[in-house]
Amino acid sequence: QVQLVESGGGLVQPGGSLRLSCAASGSDFDIDAMGWYRQAPGKQRELVAAITPGGSTDYTDSVKGRFTISRDNAKNTVYLQMNSLKPEDTAVYYCYAKLLISQWVSPRTTWGQGTQVTVSS
């Protein structure tokens, strides 16, 4: 019922910047936290950043000071501004949205299709 559409990935040189966007549509449920995971081939998927409706944020240590997550609640959109990119940031980035169903049902998570970020000289 909920679709997350990602955009903004691409190829960038080390030290460059990219801005990822993820827009949610078609939801009849309240959206709680939103955020971004990433996964490189042969590596474990890791949580990159998360943000609550009130704007509280959390980042994995490797991106602190370089990445900024933000959201526009009116547009149901979450963003990831990535600066000072490093080759180790290369991965497929997936956005997610935590959906609140009811007080009797555990929240569900919906995922975007993924967008490739490649950092290479």
Side-chain angles (χ1 to χ4, degrees):
Q1 187 173 358
V2 177
Q3 286 190 321
L4 302 180
V5 180
E6 302 180 28
S7 62
L11 174 64
V12 65
Q13 294 183 340
S17 298
L18 286 173
R19 187 184 190 229
L20 306 183
S21 299
C22 176
S25 64
S27 177
D28 291 332
F29 305 105
D30 291 332
I31 299 177
D32 191 17
M34 302 182 76
W36 299 86
Y37 280 81
R38 67 184 180 187
Q39 187 169 31
K43 296 184 178 180
Q44 183 179 352
R45 178 177 292 191
E46 66 172 341
L47 178 65
V48 178
I51 185 169
T52 69
S56 297
T57 59
D58 191 29
Y59 300 91
T60 190
D61 287 342
S62 64
V63 308
K64 289 181 178 177
R66 300 188 298 119
F67 291 11
T68 302
I69 188 171
S70 61
R71 67 189 288 170
D72 185 334
N73 292 331
K75 298 180 179 179
N76 287 330
T77 300
V78 63
Y79 307 93
L80 187 66
Q81 178 67 47
M82 305 184 294
N83 299 325
S84 302
L85 283 162
K86 304 175 181 180
E88 50 263 43
D89 295 317
T90 296
V92 177
Y93 285 69
Y94 299 89
C95 69
Y96 74 88
K98 182 181 178 182
L99 307 178
L100 302 179
I101 308 302
S102 75
Q103 63 177 299
W104 298 282
V105 180
S106 298
R108 298 180 181 179
T109 301
T110 298
W111 299 87
Q113 80 280 7
T115 185
Q116 177 70 49
V117 172
T118 302
V119 185
S120 177
S121 60

